PDB file of all heavy atoms in Angstrom:
ATOM      1  N   LEU A  65     -18.682  88.506  58.976  1.00 92.00           N
ATOM      2  CA  LEU A  65     -19.624  87.790  59.840  1.00 92.00           C
ATOM      3  C   LEU A  65     -19.660  88.470  61.272  1.00 92.00           C
ATOM      4  O   LEU A  65     -20.354  87.925  62.143  1.00 92.00           O
ATOM      5  CB  LEU A  65     -19.278  86.342  60.016  1.00 92.00           C
ATOM      6  CG  LEU A  65     -19.292  85.534  58.683  1.00 92.00           C
ATOM      7  CD1 LEU A  65     -18.829  84.138  58.891  1.00 92.00           C
ATOM      8  CD2 LEU A  65     -20.735  85.548  58.128  1.00 92.00           C
ATOM      9  N   ASP A  66     -18.952  89.541  61.416  1.00 91.00           N
ATOM     10  CA  ASP A  66     -18.908  90.299  62.700  1.00 91.00           C
ATOM     11  C   ASP A  66     -18.509  89.366  63.863  1.00 91.00           C
ATOM     12  O   ASP A  66     -19.067  89.291  64.899  1.00 91.00           O
ATOM     13  CB  ASP A  66     -20.228  90.972  63.017  1.00 91.00           C
ATOM     14  CG  ASP A  66     -20.079  92.101  64.029  1.00 91.00           C
ATOM     15  OD1 ASP A  66     -18.961  92.659  64.047  1.00 91.00           O
ATOM     16  OD2 ASP A  66     -21.039  92.377  64.762  1.00 91.00           O
ATOM     17  N   ALA A  67     -17.427  88.648  63.601  1.00 91.00           N
ATOM     18  CA  ALA A  67     -16.925  87.693  64.563  1.00 91.00           C
ATOM     19  C   ALA A  67     -16.223  88.432  65.698  1.00 91.00           C
ATOM     20  O   ALA A  67     -15.963  89.647  65.615  1.00 91.00           O
ATOM     21  CB  ALA A  67     -15.875  86.745  63.950  1.00 91.00           C
ATOM     22  N   SER A  68     -16.015  87.745  66.797  1.00 92.00           N
ATOM     23  CA  SER A  68     -15.444  88.331  67.942  1.00 92.00           C
ATOM     24  C   SER A  68     -13.982  88.726  67.658  1.00 92.00           C
ATOM     25  O   SER A  68     -13.377  88.250  66.733  1.00 92.00           O
ATOM     26  CB  SER A  68     -15.445  87.347  69.160  1.00 92.00           C
ATOM     27  OG  SER A  68     -14.579  86.280  68.868  1.00 92.00           O
ATOM     28  N   ALA A  69     -13.442  89.586  68.539  1.00 92.00           N
ATOM     29  CA  ALA A  69     -12.061  90.046  68.332  1.00 92.00           C
ATOM     30  C   ALA A  69     -11.125  88.859  68.443  1.00 92.00           C
ATOM     31  O   ALA A  69     -10.075  88.849  67.707  1.00 92.00           O
ATOM     32  CB  ALA A  69     -11.763  91.126  69.334  1.00 92.00           C
ATOM     33  N   ASP A  70     -11.382  87.935  69.276  1.00 95.00           N
ATOM     34  CA  ASP A  70     -10.508  86.760  69.454  1.00 95.00           C
ATOM     35  C   ASP A  70     -10.471  85.928  68.139  1.00 95.00           C
ATOM     36  O   ASP A  70      -9.428  85.431  67.721  1.00 95.00           O
ATOM     37  CB  ASP A  70     -10.947  85.864  70.569  1.00 95.00           C
ATOM     38  CG  ASP A  70     -10.740  86.550  71.930  1.00 95.00           C
ATOM     39  OD1 ASP A  70      -9.865  87.479  71.986  1.00 95.00           O
ATOM     40  OD2 ASP A  70     -11.472  86.179  72.911  1.00 95.00           O
ATOM     41  N   THR A  71     -11.584  85.769  67.471  1.00 95.00           N
ATOM     42  CA  THR A  71     -11.696  85.033  66.220  1.00 95.00           C
ATOM     43  C   THR A  71     -10.916  85.715  65.154  1.00 95.00           C
ATOM     44  O   THR A  71     -10.164  85.104  64.392  1.00 95.00           O
ATOM     45  CB  THR A  71     -13.126  84.766  65.881  1.00 95.00           C
ATOM     46  OG1 THR A  71     -13.807  84.096  66.896  1.00 95.00           O
ATOM     47  CG2 THR A  71     -13.233  83.978  64.569  1.00 95.00           C
ATOM     48  N   VAL A  72     -11.092  87.035  65.067  1.00 93.00           N
ATOM     49  CA  VAL A  72     -10.381  87.814  64.075  1.00 93.00           C
ATOM     50  C   VAL A  72      -8.872  87.737  64.281  1.00 93.00           C
ATOM     51  O   VAL A  72      -8.110  87.538  63.333  1.00 93.00           O
ATOM     52  CB  VAL A  72     -10.864  89.276  64.081  1.00 93.00           C
ATOM     53  CG1 VAL A  72     -10.041  90.191  63.176  1.00 93.00           C
ATOM     54  CG2 VAL A  72     -12.352  89.389  63.639  1.00 93.00           C
ATOM     55  N   MET A  73      -8.445  87.853  65.550  1.00 94.00           N
ATOM     56  CA  MET A  73      -6.995  87.745  65.854  1.00 94.00           C
ATOM     57  C   MET A  73      -6.490  86.324  65.537  1.00 94.00           C
ATOM     58  O   MET A  73      -5.345  86.191  65.107  1.00 94.00           O
ATOM     59  CB  MET A  73      -6.759  88.101  67.293  1.00 94.00           C
ATOM     60  CG  MET A  73      -6.913  89.604  67.584  1.00 94.00           C
ATOM     61  SD  MET A  73      -5.931  90.663  66.506  1.00 94.00           S
ATOM     62  CE  MET A  73      -4.358  90.275  67.074  1.00 94.00           C
ATOM     63  N   ALA A  74      -7.294  85.323  65.810  1.00 96.00           N
ATOM     64  CA  ALA A  74      -6.851  83.915  65.511  1.00 96.00           C
ATOM     65  C   ALA A  74      -6.658  83.756  63.958  1.00 96.00           C
ATOM     66  O   ALA A  74      -5.708  83.161  63.523  1.00 96.00           O
ATOM     67  CB  ALA A  74      -7.865  82.940  66.044  1.00 96.00           C
ATOM     68  N   CYS A  75      -7.575  84.308  63.218  1.00 95.00           N
ATOM     69  CA  CYS A  75      -7.443  84.214  61.756  1.00 95.00           C
ATOM     70  C   CYS A  75      -6.254  85.007  61.268  1.00 95.00           C
ATOM     71  O   CYS A  75      -5.575  84.591  60.310  1.00 95.00           O
ATOM     72  CB  CYS A  75      -8.735  84.710  61.100  1.00 95.00           C
ATOM     73  SG  CYS A  75     -10.110  83.563  61.325  1.00 95.00           S
ATOM     74  N   THR A  76      -5.982  86.158  61.887  1.00 93.00           N
ATOM     75  CA  THR A  76      -4.809  86.950  61.529  1.00 93.00           C
ATOM     76  C   THR A  76      -3.502  86.163  61.853  1.00 93.00           C
ATOM     77  O   THR A  76      -2.593  86.143  61.049  1.00 93.00           O
ATOM     78  CB  THR A  76      -4.849  88.295  62.251  1.00 93.00           C
ATOM     79  OG1 THR A  76      -6.043  88.993  61.960  1.00 93.00           O
ATOM     80  CG2 THR A  76      -3.646  89.149  61.918  1.00 93.00           C
ATOM     81  N   ALA A  77      -3.501  85.521  63.021  1.00 95.00           N
ATOM     82  CA  ALA A  77      -2.354  84.705  63.352  1.00 95.00           C
ATOM     83  C   ALA A  77      -2.171  83.561  62.411  1.00 95.00           C
ATOM     84  O   ALA A  77      -1.008  83.204  62.027  1.00 95.00           O
ATOM     85  CB  ALA A  77      -2.467  84.238  64.791  1.00 95.00           C
ATOM     86  N   LEU A  78      -3.245  82.918  62.032  1.00 96.00           N
ATOM     87  CA  LEU A  78      -3.154  81.833  61.043  1.00 96.00           C
ATOM     88  C   LEU A  78      -2.621  82.319  59.683  1.00 96.00           C
ATOM     89  O   LEU A  78      -1.956  81.564  58.971  1.00 96.00           O
ATOM     90  CB  LEU A  78      -4.571  81.154  60.863  1.00 96.00           C
ATOM     91  CG  LEU A  78      -4.640  79.992  59.890  1.00 96.00           C
ATOM     92  CD1 LEU A  78      -3.753  78.877  60.386  1.00 96.00           C
ATOM     93  CD2 LEU A  78      -6.078  79.566  59.847  1.00 96.00           C
ATOM     94  N   GLY A  79      -2.869  83.547  59.384  1.00 96.00           N
ATOM     95  CA  GLY A  79      -2.373  84.144  58.104  1.00 96.00           C
ATOM     96  C   GLY A  79      -0.904  84.098  58.072  1.00 96.00           C
ATOM     97  O   GLY A  79      -0.321  83.998  56.954  1.00 96.00           O
ATOM     98  N   PHE A  80      -0.167  84.159  59.174  1.00 97.00           N
ATOM     99  CA  PHE A  80       1.256  84.100  59.161  1.00 97.00           C
ATOM    100  C   PHE A  80       1.782  82.793  58.692  1.00 97.00           C
ATOM    101  O   PHE A  80       2.838  82.653  58.141  1.00 97.00           O
ATOM    102  CB  PHE A  80       1.825  84.495  60.519  1.00 97.00           C
ATOM    103  CG  PHE A  80       1.741  85.945  60.780  1.00 97.00           C
ATOM    104  CD1 PHE A  80       0.851  86.420  61.744  1.00 97.00           C
ATOM    105  CD2 PHE A  80       2.571  86.883  60.133  1.00 97.00           C
ATOM    106  CE1 PHE A  80       0.720  87.778  61.997  1.00 97.00           C
ATOM    107  CE2 PHE A  80       2.442  88.226  60.394  1.00 97.00           C
ATOM    108  CZ  PHE A  80       1.528  88.676  61.347  1.00 97.00           C
ATOM    109  N   VAL A  81       1.018  81.727  58.919  1.00 97.00           N
ATOM    110  CA  VAL A  81       1.379  80.368  58.430  1.00 97.00           C
ATOM    111  C   VAL A  81       1.374  80.424  56.900  1.00 97.00           C
ATOM    112  O   VAL A  81       2.283  79.870  56.252  1.00 97.00           O
ATOM    113  CB  VAL A  81       0.399  79.318  58.975  1.00 97.00           C
ATOM    114  CG1 VAL A  81       0.648  77.967  58.316  1.00 97.00           C
ATOM    115  CG2 VAL A  81       0.459  79.210  60.484  1.00 97.00           C
ATOM    116  N   PHE A  82       0.357  81.022  56.277  1.00 97.00           N
ATOM    117  CA  PHE A  82       0.267  81.122  54.855  1.00 97.00           C
ATOM    118  C   PHE A  82       1.336  82.017  54.271  1.00 97.00           C
ATOM    119  O   PHE A  82       1.865  81.786  53.238  1.00 97.00           O
ATOM    120  CB  PHE A  82      -1.132  81.541  54.414  1.00 97.00           C
ATOM    121  CG  PHE A  82      -2.171  80.542  54.624  1.00 97.00           C
ATOM    122  CD1 PHE A  82      -3.024  80.558  55.657  1.00 97.00           C
ATOM    123  CD2 PHE A  82      -2.291  79.458  53.679  1.00 97.00           C
ATOM    124  CE1 PHE A  82      -3.979  79.517  55.840  1.00 97.00           C
ATOM    125  CE2 PHE A  82      -3.214  78.497  53.811  1.00 97.00           C
ATOM    126  CZ  PHE A  82      -4.036  78.486  54.894  1.00 97.00           C
ATOM    127  N   ILE A  83       1.686  83.065  54.993  1.00 97.00           N
ATOM    128  CA  ILE A  83       2.824  83.901  54.596  1.00 97.00           C
ATOM    129  C   ILE A  83       4.112  83.111  54.585  1.00 97.00           C
ATOM    130  O   ILE A  83       4.938  83.214  53.590  1.00 97.00           O
ATOM    131  CB  ILE A  83       2.928  85.167  55.483  1.00 97.00           C
ATOM    132  CG1 ILE A  83       1.721  86.083  55.224  1.00 97.00           C
ATOM    133  CG2 ILE A  83       4.268  85.876  55.170  1.00 97.00           C
ATOM    134  CD1 ILE A  83       1.653  87.217  56.196  1.00 97.00           C
ATOM    135  N   ALA A  84       4.339  82.330  55.565  1.00 98.00           N
ATOM    136  CA  ALA A  84       5.555  81.505  55.630  1.00 98.00           C
ATOM    137  C   ALA A  84       5.567  80.444  54.499  1.00 98.00           C
ATOM    138  O   ALA A  84       6.614  80.222  53.866  1.00 98.00           O
ATOM    139  CB  ALA A  84       5.684  80.795  56.999  1.00 98.00           C
ATOM    140  N   ALA A  85       4.402  79.888  54.186  1.00 97.00           N
ATOM    141  CA  ALA A  85       4.313  78.926  53.086  1.00 97.00           C
ATOM    142  C   ALA A  85       4.585  79.599  51.779  1.00 97.00           C
ATOM    143  O   ALA A  85       5.275  79.052  50.896  1.00 97.00           O
ATOM    144  CB  ALA A  85       2.957  78.277  53.094  1.00 97.00           C
ATOM    145  N   ALA A  86       4.112  80.839  51.624  1.00 97.00           N
ATOM    146  CA  ALA A  86       4.332  81.569  50.380  1.00 97.00           C
ATOM    147  C   ALA A  86       5.847  81.879  50.214  1.00 97.00           C
ATOM    148  O   ALA A  86       6.374  81.750  49.133  1.00 97.00           O
ATOM    149  CB  ALA A  86       3.520  82.917  50.375  1.00 97.00           C
ATOM    150  N   VAL A  87       6.455  82.265  51.295  1.00 98.00           N
ATOM    151  CA  VAL A  87       7.949  82.577  51.228  1.00 98.00           C
ATOM    152  C   VAL A  87       8.678  81.279  50.832  1.00 98.00           C
ATOM    153  O   VAL A  87       9.551  81.279  49.964  1.00 98.00           O
ATOM    154  CB  VAL A  87       8.438  83.053  52.578  1.00 98.00           C
ATOM    155  CG1 VAL A  87       9.973  83.086  52.653  1.00 98.00           C
ATOM    156  CG2 VAL A  87       7.911  84.487  52.846  1.00 98.00           C
ATOM    157  N   GLY A  88       8.279  80.126  51.423  1.00 97.00           N
ATOM    158  CA  GLY A  88       8.886  78.854  51.012  1.00 97.00           C
ATOM    159  C   GLY A  88       8.719  78.557  49.561  1.00 97.00           C
ATOM    160  O   GLY A  88       9.625  78.087  48.859  1.00 97.00           O
ATOM    161  N   CYS A  89       7.501  78.784  49.010  1.00 96.00           N
ATOM    162  CA  CYS A  89       7.238  78.550  47.610  1.00 96.00           C
ATOM    163  C   CYS A  89       8.020  79.443  46.717  1.00 96.00           C
ATOM    164  O   CYS A  89       8.488  79.062  45.645  1.00 96.00           O
ATOM    165  CB  CYS A  89       5.724  78.648  47.360  1.00 96.00           C
ATOM    166  SG  CYS A  89       4.747  77.343  48.009  1.00 96.00           S
ATOM    167  N   PHE A  90       8.126  80.723  47.156  1.00 95.00           N
ATOM    168  CA  PHE A  90       8.925  81.686  46.290  1.00 95.00           C
ATOM    169  C   PHE A  90      10.424  81.240  46.322  1.00 95.00           C
ATOM    170  O   PHE A  90      11.111  81.332  45.263  1.00 95.00           O
ATOM    171  CB  PHE A  90       8.827  83.092  46.855  1.00 95.00           C
ATOM    172  CG  PHE A  90       7.604  83.829  46.405  1.00 95.00           C
ATOM    173  CD1 PHE A  90       6.806  84.444  47.322  1.00 95.00           C
ATOM    174  CD2 PHE A  90       7.289  83.905  45.054  1.00 95.00           C
ATOM    175  CE1 PHE A  90       5.662  85.128  46.889  1.00 95.00           C
ATOM    176  CE2 PHE A  90       6.159  84.588  44.661  1.00 95.00           C
ATOM    177  CZ  PHE A  90       5.338  85.203  45.555  1.00 95.00           C
ATOM    178  N   ILE A  91      10.945  80.761  47.440  1.00 96.00           N
ATOM    179  CA  ILE A  91      12.309  80.291  47.476  1.00 96.00           C
ATOM    180  C   ILE A  91      12.501  79.126  46.549  1.00 96.00           C
ATOM    181  O   ILE A  91      13.436  78.984  45.810  1.00 96.00           O
ATOM    182  CB  ILE A  91      12.747  80.022  48.919  1.00 96.00           C
ATOM    183  CG1 ILE A  91      12.875  81.316  49.701  1.00 96.00           C
ATOM    184  CG2 ILE A  91      14.051  79.205  48.922  1.00 96.00           C
ATOM    185  CD1 ILE A  91      13.035  81.146  51.184  1.00 96.00           C
ATOM    186  N   GLN A  92      11.539  78.176  46.624  1.00 94.00           N
ATOM    187  CA  GLN A  92      11.642  76.996  45.751  1.00 94.00           C
ATOM    188  C   GLN A  92      11.534  77.352  44.290  1.00 94.00           C
ATOM    189  O   GLN A  92      12.280  76.856  43.474  1.00 94.00           O
ATOM    190  CB  GLN A  92      10.457  76.056  46.118  1.00 94.00           C
ATOM    191  CG  GLN A  92      10.454  74.768  45.252  1.00 94.00           C
ATOM    192  CD  GLN A  92       9.236  73.924  45.460  1.00 94.00           C
ATOM    193  OE1 GLN A  92       8.350  74.350  46.203  1.00 94.00           O
ATOM    194  NE2 GLN A  92       9.175  72.748  44.887  1.00 94.00           N
ATOM    195  N   ALA A  93      10.686  78.349  43.910  1.00 90.00           N
ATOM    196  CA  ALA A  93      10.560  78.764  42.533  1.00 90.00           C
ATOM    197  C   ALA A  93      11.876  79.372  42.056  1.00 90.00           C
ATOM    198  O   ALA A  93      12.305  79.174  40.944  1.00 90.00           O
ATOM    199  CB  ALA A  93       9.404  79.784  42.452  1.00 90.00           C
TER     200      ALA A  93
END
Side-chain angles (χ1 to χ4, degrees):
L65 298 175
D66 200 28
S68 67
D70 292 336
T71 303
V72 172
M73 289 304 293
C75 289
T76 300
L78 181 60
F80 286 107
V81 173
F82 287 101
I83 291 172
V87 168
C89 289
F90 279 129
I91 290 171
Q92 179 186 8

